[in-house]
Structure formats: C-alpha cells, structure tokens
Amino acid sequence: MGNPLAGRDIIEIPALSRAEIDLILSTSRDLEARLERDRRLDLLQDYILATLFYEPSTRTRLSFEAAMHRLSGRVVSVSEVTSSSVAKGESIDDTVRTIEQYADVIVMRHPESGAAQVAADAMSVPLINAGDGSRNHPTQALLDLYTIEKERGGIDGRTIALVGDLKYGRTSHSLAEALVHYQARLLLVSPSELRMPERIRERLSEHGVHYRETESIEDAMREADVLYVTRIQRERFPSPADYDRFRGVFQISPDLLSRSAHDAIVMHPLPRVDEISHQVDSLPQAAYFRQARNGVYVRMALLALVLGTV
Ligand code: NCD
C-alpha cells in the first residue's frame, strides 16, 4: 500500500479511515523500535516544522519538537502569539500563508473550534491540528490509542471509562471518535452538566458503539480496563463560579484503584490538576507518563507520513 497520508492535513479524527489509523499506529511502532537502536533517525533531514500555538502548551509543543529533532528535522516556533503579528491584528489566513513560506509542515493550536480547518484551507503545506477549542485533538487521540494497545494488549473487547469534563475536553471528544473503529465499550463518567456532547454521542450510536453514561466513579471501578481521566477545563467555563462547582469532582486515589475489578490502568492527557493523587504515580497502573512518551513516537509517525518520507 502507498502512503495515503502524504501531503494531507490532520485536522480531526473522523477524516481518518481505520486503515489510515492502523498505518499511523504501525508506523509509530516501527519508529519506536528503530529509536531504541538509534537515538536519532534521518527521515526528516532538510525538513522544517513550524509550530504556531495560540494557546498555552508545554507537552504537545515539546513532544512535536522532540519528534522532529529525533527525525533530524528542524523547528521554528511562534509560541508567544501575543508578541507576534497576530497581536497586531493579522488574520489566521495571512499568518499561515506567510509561515508556510518558511516551513514544510505546520503544527497549530488555537482556542477556537474550527480554526484548524480555516488555516488548512488557506495554505498548501500540511497542517497538523494540535487542538482547536473544545472540539478536536486528533494527535492526542492517536497516542491514546497507541497507549491502550500497548498497555492492554489491544483495544477490542476492552471497557474504557472516559472520566471528567466530557463537555469541554477535546481529548475525550477525539478519543471517543477514534474508538468507533474498535469493538470497545465506553463508560462516560461525568457530572450530568458536563456530559459528552450530543454530536459525539450520536456518532457513537451510528457506529453501534456500546456506551453508557454515569456520574459514578464506582461504576468505572467495577467495569473499566482503562480509566482515561481528564481535567475540568477551567478556561472554557463561562465564569470562575461555574468552574468551582466542579473542581475536584473526581479524585483517583490508591484506595479507589485498589477496588478496580479489572486492575484498570490510569491514563491522563496531562496536565493534571487534582484529579489523580500524586500517590498513584508510583503504582504500576499509572500509565500517564508512559503515555506522554508515546506521544513522541506517534508524532514522529505523523510528521514522517504527512511529509511522505516513510
Ligand atoms: C490537553 C489539551 O490541550 O487539550 N493537553 C494536552 O495536549 N496534553 C488536555 C488538557 O489541557 O486538559
């Protein structure tokens, strides 16, 4: 099979077929194995990545940059958007049309849902969406799939609990959209005010995904193989008082985990606030730092695939 992702944008999970997701995951596995032998590969020598972040980020930006460096590519960055031309009123279209003159691929994060598509439409080099508003975070979902496969030996047949702010959390949205390709069961654990948006629940139903909504973390302890815990997305709430009603609503502790019927692993896209106790970190079920490392392999695969060098 050729590489159907060469030259493509990665904007949202529904635009990827199951075969394309499989290709991304198998390329990630291959690059991880090669990186164990050589600390650096030369697949992207002579290529430049531009990162353009209109929202704060440490891990996503750093892991894309590390991925590019591991493939011998180079990186130029705009992280302080407030000190750039955007602060002078430049439109996204003009910004990306200019930046594509300097780089072969752009990774962008933006606070507005839909911004990634607007940017991609304005330019011709591949754009990888590193999060747009509360809607999509496709590269996170891919590294989450990779982590579940690696940690649990597969995704089919597993029960995956998405826990926390399912209304505003873009990582849960993209992961749920990706799981329609597998025979997994989903448990959607959130306060009723922060439930998974209807458009995603409809998508799950259309694909025949077995899912159940609950407010009880105890349900997750009985049923789940994977606890995918997320932060309450403070910055997306209309007011601080609204956020305060939900902060600390779920807290994963060693005691709670000891009641897990299936020895569930704990994942988290990070950053965590207070939803996982630090005492969990040293337990073997704590998968979130391994998950962050997997992000480098999956982003290496994505960069090499859209640039057509694998
Ligand atoms: C997530 C994000 O930006 O949506 N972070 C990340 O990319 N790892 C999760 C979050 O901010 O809660």
Side-chain angles (χ1 to χ4, degrees), residues 54-56 109-113 130-137 165 167-171 173 194 231-240 242-243:
Y54 291 84
E55 251 190 4
R109 168 172 288 186
H110 198 283
E112 279 165 38
S113 301
D132 62 332
S134 58
R135 199 169 192 116
N136 298 298
H137 197 343
D165 181 352
K167 178 176 182 184
Y168 296 116
R170 57 192 172 196
T171 68
H173 299 167
L194 300 181
R231 171 178 77 86
I232 307 293
Q233 304 279 303
R234 177 172 49 184
E235 68 278 28
R236 312 220 189 272
F237 278 77
S239 76
D242 283 310
Y243 167 71

Side-chain angles (χ1 to χ4, degrees), residues 169-224:
R170 57 192 172 196
T171 68
S172 303
H173 299 167
S174 286
L175 180 55
E177 289 173 329
L179 287 169
V180 305
H181 292 290
Y182 297 85
Q183 308 298 318
R185 287 183 65 239
L186 282 186
L187 203 56
L188 306 177
V189 187
S190 71
S192 60
E193 295 92 333
L194 300 181
R195 66 195 285 224
M196 186 64 91
E198 191 176 355
R199 80 183 159 84
I200 299 195
R201 283 184 280 120
E202 273 174 5
R203 203 174 153 76
L204 293 173
S205 302
E206 277 162 22
H207 284 79
V209 176
H210 190 300
Y211 77 89
R212 186 159 69 80
E213 297 182 277
T214 175
E215 296 192 45
S216 156
I217 191 74
E218 298 298 333
D219 287 351
M221 300 330 290
R222 270 191 301 277
E223 299 172 40

